[in-house]
Structures are given as structure tokens and as C-alpha cells.
Amino acid sequence: MPTYTAPVKDIQFVLHEMLNVADSDIPGYADMEADFTNAVLEEAGKLTGEVLAPLNVVGDHEGCRLENGVVYTPTGFKEAFEQVKEGGWTGLDMPEEYGGQNLPYVLSTAVGEMFSSSNQAFTMYQGLTHGAAAAILAHGTEEQKNKWLPKMVSCEWTGTMNLTEPHCGTDLGLMRTKAEPQDNGTYKISGQKIFISAGDHDMADNIVHLVLAKVPGGPEGIKGVSLFIVPKFLVDDEGNIGARNGVSVGNIEKKMGIHGNSTCVLNYDEAEGYLIGDLNKGMRAMFTMMNEARLGVGMQGLAAAEVAYQNAVDYAKDRLQGRDVTGVKNPDGPADPLIVHPDVRRSLMDQKSFAEAARAFILWGATMIDEAHRKGDKDADGLVSLLTPVIKGFLTDEGYDMTVKAQQIYGGHGYIEEHGMSQFTRDARIAMIYEGANGVQALDLVGRKLAADGGKHVMAFFELVKNFCKENGEDEALKDFIEPLKKASKDLQAAGMYFMQTGMKNPNDALSGSNDFMHLFGHVCLGLMWAQMAKAANAALAGGASDTEFYETKLATGRYYMARRLPATGMHLARIQSGGDTVMALAAENF
Amino acid sequence: MPTYTAPVKDIQFVLHEMLNVADSDIPGYADMEADFTNAVLEEAGKLTGEVLAPLNVVGDHEGCRLENGVVYTPTGFKEAFEQVKEGGWTGLDMPEEYGGQNLPYVLSTAVGEMFSSSNQAFTMYQGLTHGAAAAILAHGTEEQKNKWLPKMVSCEWTGTMNLTEPHCGTDLGLMRTKAEPQDNGTYKISGQKIFISAGDHDMADNIVHLVLAKVPGGPEGIKGVSLFIVPKFLVDDEGNIGARNGVSVGNIEKKMGIHGNSTCVLNYDEAEGYLIGDLNKGMRAMFTMMNEARLGVGMQGLAAAEVAYQNAVDYAKDRLQGRDVTGVKNPDGPADPLIVHPDVRRSLMDQKSFAEAARAFILWGATMIDEAHRKGDKDADGLVSLLTPVIKGFLTDEGYDMTVKAQQIYGGHGYIEEHGMSQFTRDARIAMIYEGANGVQALDLVGRKLAADGGKHVMAFFELVKNFCKENGEDEALKDFIEPLKKASKDLQAAGMYFMQTGMKNPNDALSGSNDFMHLFGHVCLGLMWAQMAKAANAALAGGASDTEFYETKLATGRYYMARRLPATGMHLARIQSGGDTVMALAAENF
């Protein structure tokens, strides 16, 4: 059975040596001293490693089941959910007035990685609740907030997000679910929603569905969509649970992975709903927290890669197969461990150098979200908005590939379900799809974010890279980092230039390169993260840190990324610059 | 439910316009006139599209079950297997004296693609039988051949290959299964074999296991391994089935995919076995047919990509979502079909341009195998031996990626099992592992094949590319092909040069780049295939072919590959040239 050990030290390194969070003037950051975050992370590490990780395969094997309209979660989920609630893990970054702890988003993100790594399907029950609560927090009336939030923050009641319908996912303007206004100010919601994660289950007393629907007579398409609170059970003014509302589970989907999460078809039949936010502004309300939600999914790409990597390393050290070509390493054994083989190391280094830089990227992104929310910094908001599709799209694409690589280390033992490596890839696959499929992320990046505010934010990013390179260009200890970063950043700028020159004339030229641009951008970001981590590691070594091995390992892992992963930027640039002609050449019937 | 339409026209194009098989002097090729191969392919297309493809999801959902020691295949498999046998599809390339049709391997490979595309798990029952029969054909005594082959060629009895044990897969020298010689010349086989595809089932009267085992007292390691025939039921001299032999099913593995195939743990307990080939030469006997077996698995990468692509295209044309940014294409509908979006096309073109070139590569490889076997051509044997790890490793890695891309087109509908897209990826995943995991293929390529016969075969490959470029360099109609091919081939030569210069000094420098070299080599091969197909398409157009759309589509698809896929070679070269230092930098405990 796979195991999980929370990478507390690596997270602490990013928080305190690269991002220096405790020195930041973002409100709440001064409290994040290393001892404090370490205590939080250690505690979360214990819970996730000892309680949630062992349930991961259970969830996969058993799945959820629907019996007489009731959804049952896998063995042990309910008890574990109680432990999570009791530990106060469900409202880390929520306001104290609703029972949360008001901790910075960056710290809840660090904890979130552990939850995702240990048990993605399980973690989604609280993850969706968090998303729904965040929308109510941002757009609900005081009454709505007081009524729903305390129980959602504690996960006594969980939440869901209802967007997709059978005929529409990305293009929500096609939505058919209706909300008929009633005389008492409520609405009757009718329609079918599909792919509703955590849509129903037996772990909470109530479920608060956030549902997008159209009020008849409103504007056509996406402009006529509103957002509603639709509880599974009606709740009276004192907060007491009453009658069952008109929402029922049509089915639980059979999926490739995340079996432990109940992905439901929900049928709404004149269910009572309450408008949240403004009429016909449902998309805005649903997407207010988009950067956080998408960063959270990008984090799942990292989380899957991390746990798969950990198990691949264990197996590579343990499994004896073949001999080191440069000389026997395990003379007393019948063979050497897999880890002696260069191609096994190549794969492990791909994984390791990805996971560590992805973590830095995500936590850096989370600090910008904190800066935007807690300080009202518009530049931080602009930059993280630009980077969000990269975080979501690139990290989930790559994260998935890394789980495939980890699985490959196991050979045939990775293909059978016994060792759990197949589950990591099957679970990781969804992150490329939900919360905006990665093609939509690439479109968002190239079609919208790149030119937002006159291109100000992408210029800020380039400036940031340029300044880092300038400030550290003379540092001999960083030369393996600065030169490759400069080269990669030049490729990114050339791609951006190409889009600017051609995009107006022929949008297809730009959009044909959107996926490549997202990946090119992602590599530059991870390259920047490695350069910054290398600088931090050098500083620690220069400062006489005792754990030299830790810092030397950081530097060696970073050098690998710069030498072996970053050259991908040239390929992406060449593809982008080849334009849209070859992409768009065929008539649809000739495919 | 997914569908499958055999790509008869594309196969015919490769056979007759690119490879010109009927003009070849390879014995048996003259019979392969276009009408004849078309008839065979059409018939195979009907069977696979109408009978096997609909059973694919059935096999996935039901899987195989073990009850009281008996393995049951999914509903409908048995009846379909009867149809396959009756149609004579099981012995296409087998000698007539054993009931086969003695057709060239290239044609059975073309048919094999259809079988794999339509139902990989099902096809493995006959695929393993073919492999076992081929080994008996090559190494069995006349008596053994007469006794076992006729029933295996007809698949009245099926076959299996037993290599892996719990503690050893790649490194078979660690094998523990024993073969004790008996006074009557037979052996008693005892031990446990795992991952035995088609290991037991209810579709044949007998199963002929080919088992690797060690005769006590023989040489250590791999040099002490012999190959044995071990039937499920003993067979007397008249061919009558007798008592059950000492082999039983310990378990059926739960796997990520190919659920319709029974992957068994087989326990041998003093089972009666018959030595095949020479004592202690079991590996040689097992691997005689290695090029064919590995080419067959590479073909599975293509087969999975092809069927997944077909369904992705259907969905992309059908599913309405969003609007074409350059102007509405479906004004009467609520939205435009997915296929208008550049990033969807990028993905579909990746898939299409891969599948068509991979098919050409495989069929070209198959002609070389025919040339080696039917004409005894040593150069053909050398070249195909060099290319075999590329065919197996590169095409299964890429084929898998293509199924992931096809699945992505479906968005959330690709993640649920209902549409069958998840199955294509789950089934395709195994091809990267079995028949030598892809890391072993890369090792075989760089560590063995590259320098084989003094590097003669890789030089022959370069010569072939150079000559093609030289002969066609002035052809204006091929300029989009020749230049990129030259550039890619130069990258490949530079990588080969790097290995030659560093490999002797430090093998880790070469082996760290083995995976990249395999992929670099693969791209050059597919680039060459596209250049040759483009030439054939131009010739057809110049010759006044009526179906201009077909040939124009070929050219456009090829141009896409050259412009958008081939630039990967530069990235692989850069990684290779970065050497082994960053790959090997960490001590094992620092992973």
C-alpha cells in the first residue's frame, strides 16, 4: 500500500527561506513565524499521513454507492471526516466570526497540498464546501452568511458547486436549469446538473448546493445566469433542519478515478432556492474566487506528483533488478536497486525537480492572492490573475505526467491496482479537466490575460525575471541558473511578441499556440522558482547552516531542472512561431 | 459507446503507394495486389468494427472472474472468439502445413492493428497464442511442432508466455521457478509466475504455457534458464486431451485496464513440462521473435491512438460549445462544434499526424522483418533490430499521450466511464510496460543496438535519410518536408556523436540520455515517414488521381507534423548533451 510523508521541511524552506513570509507586511503574515507554521504543518502531516493516506486506496476500491436515494461513502471516510472537523482543519483561512481561523491563504494552501496528496477524493468534500462558503462569503447577504457559513466553515454542512449540465460544460450560456421566482422572494429551481463533486453523501447533516440557473425572461446566454443557494434540507430561521428539498441524486457517475468522491447527477424538481448576489450576475458570483479555486486545482497536480514520487523513490531503492553498468553497488544482494540506473534517476529527477518548483510556484501565487485580498494590492491581483491559468493548466498537465512516470518505475507492478500507483494517475487525470479544462486555461491566458490592462502584468513578470537576473548575474554560485533562465525568458518574450504581431490579424495564429504558450510560460516560472530557491539555498550555506546536505540537494535538483527541463521552451516557441496555418488547414470533414 | 471504423484506405495507401509492396521481390509479396489486400482488410474491418469493438466496453466493465479455480471471460467473448477462429484470422502469417495462410507479416500486422484498435484485451488471447506458437515453430522439434502447432494456429488451444515472477521482471536471471528432469525426458515444473496475460480462460479446450525455468545444477543467472512447454491439460500422442496438469490459477490481477484479459498468477506444482530448444538457452528461444513481438506492442500504441482519435473527432464535430473566434460557423445552432477551436484542432492534428506516420513506420518495419525472414536479408534484420526499441518505446509512449489528448477533447465526459474514452487510456498504458518496459527499450537502443555491428545499421539509417533528402531536395512540392527532416536528422546524428564521444568514458552520460534519444529517433522516423508519404501523395496528384482531397489531406497532415511535432528533436538533443552529471548528482538517500 502506498504511503505518504508530508514534506514539511520543503514547505518550510519555501515559506521562510524563499518567500520570507514572516517578514512580509501583508496583514497576518507577521504571525507566521517558522515555529508556528512548523507546528501547523507537522500536525497536518500527522493527520494526512496516518489517517487520510491509508483511506485512499479504500476509497478507490470501494467507491461510493447509491442505495434507495442515499449515498454512502467508503468505509472509514465518515470517522476520518469527524477527525478533520474536530481538528479545525476545515476553516483555516475563513473569518473568525464564522468559526474560522483567519490564517493567510498561503498557509491553508500549504496544508491543502498535504490533504490532496494523502487522499484527493476525500479532500474534495471539504474543498467543495470551502468553495461554496467562499462564494457565500463574497456575495451573500448578512443574513445568508449568518445562516449558512458557520456550519459550512465547520463542515457540519458541506457544499457543492452546480455548473455543468449534460449538454454544456465550458459554454454555460447554453444552460437550461430554470429558477422561477416565487411571491415570497424565493425561487423554484428545476433542471438537471451533472458531474457534481461531493454531490451527496452520508458525512454531513445537510448539503448546501450552489446552483447556477436562469430566471425566465432574463437575458439570453451567459448574461441571464444567476446563482442560488439550494440546500438538501430546508433550514428554518433558527437554523433547524426541516423538510427535504426538491433535489435528488439521479446517479453516481462511474469514473476513471477519485472513486471515493461521489460525483452525482442531481435532479432539481422545484427545489426551493435563494438568490445569492445580483440577479443575472451568477457567473461573476461563481467566479469571484476563481483564482483561488484554480490555484487549488493546480496544487492538486503538484500533490499527486509529490505522493507518487515518494512511493516511486521507495520502490526504486527497494526493488533489486539489474546491475549498475559502472560497477556493482549491492554486492551482497542478487542485484542492485533500481535507483542505480540512469534512466530511473532521470525519471525520479524529473518528478522531484517538478514537485519542488511547483510547490514554490503555488505558494508564491498564494502570497499574491493574500496580497490582493488582505492589502488590496491591484498589481499582485493582476499578476496572479495572469499566472493562474499557468498554475492550473501547466501544473496539472505536468503533474499528471509525473504520476505516469512514477507508475512506470514500478513496471508491471504499477499497472496492477495492488500498489496504488495506478490510482495516483487515475485520480490526477481529473485535475486537467475540472475547474476549466486545460484548453480553456490556455485560451484564457492567451486570449484574455496576456493583453489585460494593456499587457501590464506580463510586462511586470518579465521585469521581475530581468531584475532577478540582473541582481544575481554576477553571482558565480548561480551561473547554472541565471543563464538558462535568461534564455527561457527570451523564448517566452519572443512568443508573446509573436502573438502581439499576429494575434490581431489572425487570432487563430495565436490560439493555435495557446497550449504551447501555457507550457512555455510554466517552464519559465519553474525556472524562476529554482533560481530563487537556489539563491536561498546558497544564502543558507553561506550563513553556515548545519544541514548542508539539504541545501546541496536543493541546488543539485535545481540544476537538473535548468539543464534538462528548461530546454522545452525552445520547442514550444518553434511550434508557436509556426503559426496557425498547419493547425487550421483541414476542413472538418477531412479529419 | 465508442465506435471503430477500420482505416482501410490509409493502410492501403501505405502498403501500395508508399511501400509498393506488390512490386517487392520479397517472397510472397507479389501476391499482395491492391485488390487482394483490400479484400482482406475490408473483411477484417467488418469483423473488428461490428463484432469486437462493441465488446470492448463490455470487457472493461465486466472483467474476468475466477470462480472455484475456473476463469470466465466477459459476456460475448467466447462467441466472438469462435467467429475469429472460423474466419481464419488466427494464423494469417503461420505456415500452411500447420493450418496457417503463410501471408507476409506486413499484412498480418495491418490486420493486427484493427484487432488491437477494436478490442485490445480480447486480441491478446490470440496475440499470446501467436507468440507462443512462433517460439515453438522456431525451436520445437518436428514432433513438438506437429503436436502443438495445428491447434494453436487455429486457436483451438491458446498459448501464454511465462517470464515474470514476483521478485523479477526485467532481470530474469533472478528467476526461481525450477524444472526437475525426470527419467522419461520430461520435467517437473514448480514455482510461481505472475502477470500471465490470457493465463486462463474459458474460450479454448487447452492452454499451452511456455514457461521459463531453471534446471537445478545449471549455470547461475540468466545463463541457466530454459524454456518449457507446459500444457494446462496433458495431451497424449494422438492429440487427445487427458488429465489436468499441475498448474493452477492463484489469482486474477486487478488492473488499471485491459480488464477483458485474464492476467493470472499461475502456480506450477510439479507440472509436467517439455524442454523446447536447447537446455539453458531459454532466453534465446523466448526472444527469437522479439522484434515481431515488440513491433506488435508498438503497434498497440498506434492502435489505441487511432481508435481514441476517431471517437474524439466524432465528439468534436458533434458537441456544440462556444463560438469560433473568427466568426460564427453554425448560426442555426446554439453554439459551434468543438472542432472550430484552434486548440481542439491542435490536439486532433497531433493525434492524426501521429497515427498515420506511426502506421507507416510499423508497416515499414514489418516489411523489413519479412525481408529478413523470407529473403534472409541481414541488413534488413540489422536495421529493424535497431529500430525495434524505437517502434516499441516511442510509439507506445506517444500512443498513450494521444489517448490522453483524445480523452481531453471530451472534457468531463472523458473522465466518466460511460463514453469509453477513459478505457482507451487505461488500456494503452500497459503497452509502455510489457514486452520490455520503455526504459529497457531505451537502454537496448543506446546500450546495444546503436553500436551493434560497428554502428553499421545506424549509419545505414542516416544514409537512407540523406539519400531521400538528396534525391528529393530539388522538389519544390516537398520543401516543407525535406528541410525539417534534414534538421531533425542532424540533431539525431549530433546525439549519436555525443554518445560515441562520451559513452566509452562515462556510460552514465549516454544512458542518462537514452529516453531522450529514443524519442528523438522516433520523431526523425516519423518525419521520414511523412516525407515519404508526401512524396507518394504528390505522385498520386501528379498522376491525376481522382480523390484529390485524400492526398491533399495527407500533405496537410504531414506538414503539421513537420512544423509542430518535429521541433521536439532540438529539445531532446539539448537534454542529451547536458550529460549525466545533473542526472546522477544525488546520493540515493537524498531523493
Side-chain angles (χ1 to χ4, degrees), chain B residues 403-422:
Chain B
T403 63
V404 173
K405 288 180 191 203
Q407 181 188 23
Q408 187 74 11
I409 301 284
Y410 278 66
H413 295 275
Y415 196 67
I416 60 172
E417 296 293 353
E418 189 183 332
H419 297 275
M421 298 305 286
S422 154

Side-chain angles (χ1 to χ4, degrees), chain B residues 102-356:
Chain B
N102 198 31
L103 290 172
Y105 179 65
V106 69
L107 188 54
S108 78
T109 300
V111 169
E113 180 201 322
M114 298 179 185
F115 273 77
S116 276
S117 277
S118 67
N119 198 325
Q120 176 58 30
F122 176 91
T123 298
M124 289 168 69
Y125 291 100
Q126 72 187 86
L128 272 298
T129 308
H130 188 277
I136 294 174
L137 186 63
H139 299 282
T141 61
E142 279 310 307
E143 199 191 329
Q144 286 173 332
K145 288 194 266 191
N146 289 327
K147 182 166 185 173
W148 304 106
L149 285 182
K151 302 245 172 173
M152 291 176 78
V153 167
S154 67
C155 272
E156 209 170 323
W157 299 350
T158 64
T160 72
M161 309 291 258
N162 293 238
L163 292 78
T164 308
E165 299 183 6
H167 61 288
C168 68
T170 298
D171 190 352
L172 291 169
L174 304 176
M175 187 174 294
R176 291 179 193 146
T177 298
K178 279 199 178 54
E180 295 275 0
Q182 306 298 304
D183 292 342
N184 64 357
T186 67
Y187 291 78
K188 292 274 180 225
I189 314 290
S190 297
Q192 190 179 62
K193 294 288 181 177
I194 64 169
F195 303 161
I196 309 308
S197 299
D200 197 34
H201 57 85
D202 55 356
M203 303 197 298
D205 298 335
N206 203 359
I207 300 179
V208 182
H209 303 295
L210 290 202
V211 183
L212 286 177
K214 285 183 171 177
V215 175
E220 284 288 297
I222 204 72
K223 289 176 180 157
V225 168
S226 305
L227 184 62
F228 299 88
I229 296 174
V230 187
K232 177 178 173 181
F233 292 99
L234 298 175
V235 175
D236 70 16
D237 291 343
E238 280 74 49
N240 300 308
I241 286 180
R244 182 80 190 241
N245 202 355
V247 48
S248 60
V249 181
N251 198 8
I252 303 185
E253 301 286 3
K254 287 198 174 56
K255 308 182 299 291
M256 184 178 184
I258 50 167
H259 296 163
N261 199 277
S262 58
T263 306
C264 294
V265 174
L266 290 184
N267 294 319
Y268 291 88
D269 185 13
E270 302 205 334
E272 186 167 310
Y274 319 108
L275 181 69
I276 171 169
D278 295 334
L279 188 69
N280 299 328
K281 303 286 185 208
M283 291 304 290
R284 209 179 56 181
M286 188 59 113
F287 283 134
T288 307
M289 301 292 142
M290 188 157 68
N291 286 345
E292 291 91 314
R294 292 185 168 179
L295 184 138
V297 175
M299 182 261 279
Q300 292 170 17
L302 151 66
E306 169 68 32
V307 67
Y309 164 73
Q310 287 186 10
N311 286 279
V313 167
D314 288 347
Y315 193 78
K317 288 180 183 170
D318 197 51
R319 175 87 170 173
L320 304 179
Q321 210 80 177
R323 289 294 187 186
D324 187 331
V325 288
T326 63
V328 168
K329 288 290 181 300
N330 176 33
D332 300 334
D336 289 339
L338 285 180
I339 204 165
V340 304
H341 303 299
D343 189 58
V344 169
R345 278 175 175 261
R346 187 262 319 158
S347 168
L348 292 175
M349 291 300 288
D350 281 353
Q351 298 168 52
K352 181 176 171 65
S353 66
F354 166 76
E356 295 179 20

